[in-house]
Amino acid sequence: MKRTEFIRRMEEIAPLVLAEEFDEGRVGLLYEGKEEIVKIACALDATPKVAQKAADGGFDALVVHHPAFWNPMHAVTGRAAEILRPLAKADVNLYAMHTNFDHVNGGINDALAELLGLTDRVRLDATPESLGVVGTLSMSFQEMASVLGCGLRVWGDISSVRRIAVAGGAAFDLSLIREAQVLGAGAFLASELKYSLALESPIPLIEATHCALEAPGMRELALREGWTFIEGSPKTSIIE
């Protein structure tokens, strides 16, 4: 397909209009590579290693979740150069879909809910463009940790919890937690919890790693679209 067709398909999957305001200029086509796109790679992050793998693998485009560049650049140096150098050398397009893919049907949060086997699902944020999903558990929390491949840090008592809210990434937000409670959630699963928020939460909070909650959505996207997923998440372990 031509690059314009590729971009059109990306915006069908995750319309740019669904992105949060802070993502302006950070999602969409970030680096313009070759015009003809056939072979596509997908990853959670455009790290230098992932960029090199995409270049070495002969891919025409790399689609990632997290924006590769957060700050405006007047010079391409340091880590930004390490990411762009292999992509530019191999003429690989770089495309990011971040909060627009969080919100969309079939995106990060739906994939997470599906992975965890949640049933009787309803959406947070009271719109189809969801910031999270509330559902009934079909597995134990020990099984959940195994499925996610990371330890779970729990704030509060979850021994009697049967219905939880899940949201990919750094999604601990007091308004969302309260909405989840109204929708019947007895606990809220996300990542990167701040101590001050844990003190105010009306329900127990369950903290997993950022990558464990969001990589499944990108793996599922790659599978659905016939792309190749490039693993780039660090291995985690718990020392007790």
Side-chain angles (χ1 to χ4, degrees):
M1 72 181 89
K2 297 297 183 184
R3 191 190 311 112
T4 53
E5 297 174 62
F6 165 75
I7 293 172
R8 188 180 304 115
R9 176 56 186 154
M10 296 305 97
E11 293 185 8
E12 286 176 356
I13 294 170
L16 297 182
V17 69
L18 295 182
E20 295 286 335
E21 187 176 342
F22 66 79
D23 262 342
E24 184 178 356
R26 297 184 174 98
V27 292
L29 187 67
L30 302 183
Y31 178 76
E32 185 177 286
K34 61 189 67 174
E35 173 69 20
E36 193 68 31
I37 298 174
V38 177
K39 192 176 178 183
I40 300 173
C42 180
L44 185 60
D45 296 278
T47 64
K49 286 185 178 180
V50 167
Q52 189 65 59
K53 286 182 180 180
D56 292 343
F59 293 97
D60 305 310
L62 171 63
V63 179
V64 297
H65 182 49
H66 294 128
F69 316 109
W70 283 98
N71 300 313
M73 291 185 292
H74 299 286
V76 183
T77 60
R79 185 175 181 277
E82 290 178 5
I83 294 169
L84 286 175
R85 189 178 296 113
L87 298 179
K89 186 175 181 180
D91 211 17
V92 181
N93 292 274
L94 176 61
Y95 192 98
M97 48 175 72
H98 190 215
T99 50
N100 48 326
F101 195 51
D102 288 333
H103 285 285
V104 75
N105 286 324
I108 290 293
N109 295 310
D110 287 333
L112 178 59
E114 186 68 26
L115 178 70
L116 298 179
L118 298 187
T119 60
D120 304 317
R121 300 174 200 165
V122 294
R123 293 180 172 277
L124 281 170
D125 213 32
T127 69
E129 295 79 29
S130 171
L131 278 172
V133 177
V134 175
T136 301
L137 289 168
S138 61
M139 64 178 68
S140 69
F141 288 105
Q142 289 77 14
E143 289 171 326
M144 180 185 295
S146 178
V147 167
L148 290 173
C150 71
L152 301 177
R153 185 169 68 160
V154 179
W155 296 71
D157 180 9
I158 58 173
S159 58
S160 62
V161 171
R162 295 294 175 267
R163 195 162 172 80
I164 68 168
V166 299
F172 284 115
D173 176 89
L174 200 54
S175 63
L176 280 180
I177 293 169
R178 287 171 175 158
E179 183 187 348
Q181 183 186 33
V182 170
L183 292 174
F188 193 103
L189 169 70
S191 68
E192 299 187 30
L193 175 63
K194 291 184 178 180
Y195 169 70
S196 57
L197 191 147
L199 291 176
E200 297 183 37
S201 177
I203 57 177
L205 304 179
I206 306 169
E207 184 180 12
T209 65
H210 199 121
C211 59
L213 298 182
E214 294 194 324
M218 298 306 284
R219 288 194 194 97
E220 174 60 28
L221 174 62
L223 181 64
R224 194 166 69 224
E225 295 294 317
W227 304 341
T228 299
F229 185 76
I230 299 176
E231 294 285 352
S233 301
K235 292 182 179 180
T236 63
S237 60
I238 297 176
I239 300 175
E240 297 183 353

